[in-house]
Amino acid sequence: MIWVVLTFTFVIISIMPGDPVRAMYEQLIQQGYSPQQAESETALLHRFRPTGNIAEQYVEYIGSLLRFDLGQSMYTRVDVGDVLLDAAKWTVIPVLLGTILSFGLGVFIGVYAAIKRSSKLGDALTMSGSLLRGIPDFVIGLTLAAIFATLWPVLPRAGAVDIRYEPGFNLDYIFSLGYHAILPVATYTISAYGGFILAMKSSVVTVLGDDFILAAELRGMKRSIIFRYIARNAILPLFTVFALSIAAVFSGAIFIERIFNYPGLGMLLINSIGRRDITVMAGALLLITIAVIIANIVADMFYSVIDPRIRRAGERV
Amino acid sequence: MRLAWVKNHPTSPTEFYPGLASEWEVSDDNLELTVTIHPDATWSDGTPVTAEDVVVSSNIAYTRGSGAFILDPGAAGAASDIEVVDDKTIQFTQDPENPTREFVNGIMNMTIVPAHVYGDLLPADFEQTLEAARGDDDAADDAREAVAEAGEAVVGFAPEEDISAGPYVLERINPSEALLVRNEHFHNDHLVAPDQVIVRSYDGNEQVWDYLRAGELDSSHFVAVPADVVQQIEAVPGNEASRTYSPVVAGLAFNQSYEPFDDIHVRRALAFALDREQVVNIASPDGGVAATTTSGMHQEVLDAWVGGAAGDLEPFAYDLDRAAEELEAAGMTQEDGRWIQANGEPFEVPIQVVSGFSDWIAAGENMATQLNEFGIDSEILTAPDFTVYQEEMAAGAYPVGFWLIGLGPSPYNIYQRLYGQSNGWQVLAGQLSYSEPGEDGNWKGGPETYEVEGHGTVNPGELAHELRTADEARTNEIMTILAQTTNEHLPVVQMWDYVNTQFSNNTRFITDPPDDARRVTGVTSLAGIWIQQGWVTAVE
């Protein structure tokens, strides 16, 4: 699978039109650089373009990856591995945080919506889930940015932290990190929340009709114990949805980070495509694709681990 | 930090604002430049800036082949000798084989780095390699390759701390911002008002608009801004806009390999059929001024070089009757309100633009609308990004598309853009050659020579090439001929001259540079130059 991803990444990048040197030259001309100034700025890039035919480039690419060598950025000459690691923290942490928040909210509200499914509030909660599930995450991001960063500018629209604060374990820096993360994390949370509500409500409704719940009620068990039975059984499918949501949100980060100029992997990928920074583009594309695949595999494995019925069914076969 | 900042004067390429250089003297024959470093210039670690720093910086410039530091045989405007006169004085000599007026510019624009930090990055025998690289045999080729390879070590080098001879030192940086703090060793520190500067990166003009609308920026360089957004920005207390000359012109370029755009009557018809005022009002009302004619130059540069003769050029004022006459002269007829070519095919004008270039897209849409109303089938086609646009345009994929021209104020730069590689002329080993349309990057596909009224047969590529080395009188003559050639034969239709719109906020600091200091190009932030010259002052 990984080999397929590697090859696919290589093919996409190889067939992508656009010369990085020419791109940078014309961008500088657009910015008002004279042709001589632009030539001077781009002179060294010529030396870092891929050489050889497509087969040689492919062998070199695979060989480098086998040596865990992702190469260097054409523009900054920094190792791509370091560039990716630096960007990954700005994607992984907000994505995880947003997904966990939406999971918690979705589970809680989903259970409530299922129990109150015949009430207006239950209908309203279900409808909110359906609506949010249908809205693309970038629309949610743009809406939040328009409201809280432009019309009523109380939250920052760009960056991950205020540069004036010394990086480290100090309150100013941590507060600044949180303050800048509010809009991206809120976007991830809202965009995944609808799916969790609907899945949880549906799961709870199914479990409510199971015989063991009826038996528990007939035996006169306490409501809190019955609720625990419902929750433990109903939440199982949600873990799969959770892992899949991480994958979906991770790939959606490309748009969200673009909206908030948040310096994660998605932003890195977009910038590298615009500049045709081939090595960074390949690295970012590879990492995002592999992360999504791994999240899907983990979802599959996790489900069989936490649900004894799946495990036993597998053993019988 | 640079030796100096080029003023971009419309006709004089050798006027500067001082950087590390406090004085400079150019010999009458333009072959020698003597530069004196400011006596108090000091690096931020307390080490004085000396001639040795300039020599090391020149050597690094050779590894990039930038400015006057070119080793290719026959290269114009190349430095042939660098001599240290004393600890603070350096003399540069231009190769007399192929001298240019921009030689001085290429030296003064150089970035100076500290020799005690960068000096060891180049091989010990680098000076000998440089000397060997000035020849034209195989050994010289090898030496030039060795010089270029030496540059890789410089590019990959990241000093542990920033050592600067400018007004600030880099304190820290993240992907969105950089924090600069005052360099108390800076020789003009008394002129510097802000103690700290935060430089923000941006990823699209809209982000800069947001910063400006929120009043978060003390200064912003040029970004294209729609009229309504300009109003919003100017409504913020303290925000001010300044508008000045920008050495860039937006043109509608033709690939004359496509019929009927090879017919001058067709190109003239399109020039008459487009109301440029209307286009600019819709596309870029605050960032451009409708071109008064097509000359290949910005109007201000045209006035400076051609003077009164500029009035003799055909203005191509909006005139649908004349547009119709030209189309009829091209053999076209009008049927049911639509223009039909002599071969019976409808006349179609596809206008290529780029996704994300809001002014080009708005202009293209307006132009297509105007042409359709006139009976010409027209539509805009959008390339996904500028990189693809460049590649496909160079490959000859677009019959008509936007193209930046008039990249002045250097005369050579201006006409190199029109009559350089994109139109078939290229310089190899100092020699000019012409390639047929479709070959070697010739996508405009114009003829090699034109018949120009009053000047006979004109080879515009040769004249443009000559601009690099011509003296002022000859430059004046060539500029007049090329302006007329461009006006008569329209390889492009000049749509609008860009206006450099810059914003500042005077709540905390007053930004008041002279007009020509707003024209400096090739720098990340003009405000950095203004601060060190003392043109940014704190509000009392």
mmCIF file of all heavy atoms in Angstrom, chain A residues 69-73 76-85 279-280:
data_model
loop_
_atom_site.group_PDB
_atom_site.id
_atom_site.type_symbol
_atom_site.label_atom_id
_atom_site.label_comp_id
_atom_site.label_asym_id
_atom_site.label_seq_id
_atom_site.Cartn_x
_atom_site.Cartn_y
_atom_site.Cartn_z
ATOM 1 N N ASP A 69 15.564 9.470 3.441
ATOM 2 C CA ASP A 69 16.057 10.786 3.034
ATOM 3 C C ASP A 69 15.000 11.427 2.136
ATOM 4 O O ASP A 69 14.794 11.005 1.000
ATOM 5 C CB ASP A 69 17.384 10.628 2.274
ATOM 6 C CG ASP A 69 17.896 11.956 1.748
ATOM 7 O OD1 ASP A 69 17.349 13.002 2.148
ATOM 8 O OD2 ASP A 69 18.839 11.939 0.935
ATOM 9 N N LEU A 70 14.331 12.442 2.662
ATOM 10 C CA LEU A 70 13.284 13.118 1.884
ATOM 11 C C LEU A 70 13.846 14.277 1.080
ATOM 12 O O LEU A 70 13.114 14.979 0.393
ATOM 13 C CB LEU A 70 12.184 13.622 2.823
ATOM 14 C CG LEU A 70 11.335 12.546 3.499
ATOM 15 C CD1 LEU A 70 10.477 13.158 4.598
ATOM 16 C CD2 LEU A 70 10.456 11.830 2.495
ATOM 17 N N GLY A 71 15.138 14.499 1.188
ATOM 18 C CA GLY A 71 15.761 15.596 0.424
ATOM 19 C C GLY A 71 15.681 16.922 1.154
ATOM 20 O O GLY A 71 15.353 16.984 2.343
ATOM 21 N N GLN A 72 15.991 17.989 0.417
ATOM 22 C CA GLN A 72 15.979 19.339 0.980
ATOM 23 C C GLN A 72 15.016 20.215 0.197
ATOM 24 O O GLN A 72 14.810 20.004 -0.997
ATOM 25 C CB GLN A 72 17.376 19.963 0.898
ATOM 26 C CG GLN A 72 18.393 19.325 1.824
ATOM 27 C CD GLN A 72 19.726 20.026 1.728
ATOM 28 O OE1 GLN A 72 20.124 20.453 0.649
ATOM 29 N NE2 GLN A 72 20.423 20.131 2.839
ATOM 30 N N SER A 73 14.457 21.205 0.888
ATOM 31 C CA SER A 73 13.598 22.162 0.202
ATOM 32 C C SER A 73 14.406 22.912 -0.848
ATOM 33 O O SER A 73 15.533 23.336 -0.589
ATOM 34 C CB SER A 73 13.020 23.155 1.218
ATOM 35 O OG SER A 73 12.570 24.311 0.565
ATOM 36 N N THR A 76 14.523 26.745 0.729
ATOM 37 C CA THR A 76 15.169 27.088 1.997
ATOM 38 C C THR A 76 16.391 26.227 2.266
ATOM 39 O O THR A 76 17.174 26.534 3.158
ATOM 40 C CB THR A 76 14.184 26.910 3.165
ATOM 41 O OG1 THR A 76 13.800 25.527 3.212
ATOM 42 C CG2 THR A 76 12.951 27.773 2.973
ATOM 43 N N ARG A 77 16.580 25.147 1.518
ATOM 44 C CA ARG A 77 17.671 24.201 1.699
ATOM 45 C C ARG A 77 17.620 23.536 3.063
ATOM 46 O O ARG A 77 18.638 23.047 3.556
ATOM 47 C CB ARG A 77 19.048 24.861 1.480
ATOM 48 C CG ARG A 77 19.175 25.675 0.235
ATOM 49 C CD ARG A 77 18.767 24.929 -1.009
ATOM 50 N NE ARG A 77 19.436 23.664 -1.192
ATOM 51 C CZ ARG A 77 18.939 22.666 -1.895
ATOM 52 N NH1 ARG A 77 17.748 22.763 -2.442
ATOM 53 N NH2 ARG A 77 19.607 21.566 -2.038
ATOM 54 N N VAL A 78 16.483 23.534 3.699
ATOM 55 C CA VAL A 78 16.312 22.833 4.975
ATOM 56 C C VAL A 78 15.831 21.415 4.662
ATOM 57 O O VAL A 78 15.097 21.200 3.693
ATOM 58 C CB VAL A 78 15.273 23.569 5.858
ATOM 59 C CG1 VAL A 78 15.018 22.802 7.151
ATOM 60 C CG2 VAL A 78 15.754 24.977 6.154
ATOM 61 N N ASP A 79 16.272 20.428 5.485
ATOM 62 C CA ASP A 79 15.839 19.050 5.259
ATOM 63 C C ASP A 79 14.318 18.956 5.297
ATOM 64 O O ASP A 79 13.683 19.489 6.225
ATOM 65 C CB ASP A 79 16.419 18.127 6.337
ATOM 66 C CG ASP A 79 17.887 17.838 6.061
ATOM 67 O OD1 ASP A 79 18.319 18.040 4.915
ATOM 68 O OD2 ASP A 79 18.586 17.429 7.004
ATOM 69 N N VAL A 80 13.759 18.241 4.311
ATOM 70 C CA VAL A 80 12.296 18.145 4.234
ATOM 71 C C VAL A 80 11.736 17.458 5.478
ATOM 72 O O VAL A 80 10.669 17.821 5.976
ATOM 73 C CB VAL A 80 11.878 17.401 2.945
ATOM 74 C CG1 VAL A 80 10.392 17.093 2.951
ATOM 75 C CG2 VAL A 80 12.234 18.233 1.723
ATOM 76 N N GLY A 81 12.481 16.483 6.012
ATOM 77 C CA GLY A 81 12.027 15.812 7.237
ATOM 78 C C GLY A 81 11.810 16.807 8.366
ATOM 79 O O GLY A 81 10.797 16.760 9.077
ATOM 80 N N ASP A 82 12.758 17.738 8.507
ATOM 81 C CA ASP A 82 12.629 18.760 9.557
ATOM 82 C C ASP A 82 11.454 19.699 9.269
ATOM 83 O O ASP A 82 10.717 20.090 10.178
ATOM 84 C CB ASP A 82 13.926 19.587 9.662
ATOM 85 C CG ASP A 82 15.090 18.743 10.155
ATOM 86 O OD1 ASP A 82 14.816 17.701 10.782
ATOM 87 O OD2 ASP A 82 16.246 19.113 9.898
ATOM 88 N N VAL A 83 11.304 20.051 7.995
ATOM 89 C CA VAL A 83 10.203 20.943 7.607
ATOM 90 C C VAL A 83 8.866 20.283 7.942
ATOM 91 O O VAL A 83 7.961 20.909 8.506
ATOM 92 C CB VAL A 83 10.269 21.263 6.089
ATOM 93 C CG1 VAL A 83 9.055 22.065 5.643
ATOM 94 C CG2 VAL A 83 11.541 22.026 5.762
ATOM 95 N N LEU A 84 8.762 18.980 7.621
ATOM 96 C CA LEU A 84 7.500 18.263 7.869
ATOM 97 C C LEU A 84 7.223 18.122 9.364
ATOM 98 O O LEU A 84 6.088 18.320 9.813
ATOM 99 C CB LEU A 84 7.540 16.872 7.225
ATOM 100 C CG LEU A 84 7.585 16.834 5.697
ATOM 101 C CD1 LEU A 84 7.683 15.395 5.209
ATOM 102 C CD2 LEU A 84 6.354 17.502 5.105
ATOM 103 N N LEU A 85 8.279 17.800 10.113
ATOM 104 C CA LEU A 85 8.092 17.651 11.568
ATOM 105 C C LEU A 85 7.615 18.959 12.178
ATOM 106 O O LEU A 85 6.718 18.985 13.024
ATOM 107 C CB LEU A 85 9.413 17.243 12.214
ATOM 108 C CG LEU A 85 9.691 15.742 12.285
ATOM 109 C CD1 LEU A 85 11.042 15.501 12.955
ATOM 110 C CD2 LEU A 85 8.593 15.031 13.063
ATOM 111 N N THR A 279 10.411 18.787 -3.631
ATOM 112 C CA THR A 279 10.741 17.877 -2.532
ATOM 113 C C THR A 279 9.776 18.051 -1.354
ATOM 114 O O THR A 279 9.316 17.066 -0.774
ATOM 115 C CB THR A 279 12.188 18.132 -2.056
ATOM 116 O OG1 THR A 279 12.378 19.541 -1.963
ATOM 117 C CG2 THR A 279 13.194 17.545 -3.009
ATOM 118 N N VAL A 280 9.461 19.297 -1.021
ATOM 119 C CA VAL A 280 8.529 19.534 0.087
ATOM 120 C C VAL A 280 7.132 19.046 -0.297
ATOM 121 O O VAL A 280 6.420 18.424 0.508
ATOM 122 C CB VAL A 280 8.502 21.034 0.460
ATOM 123 C CG1 VAL A 280 7.425 21.304 1.511
ATOM 124 C CG2 VAL A 280 9.852 21.480 0.981
#
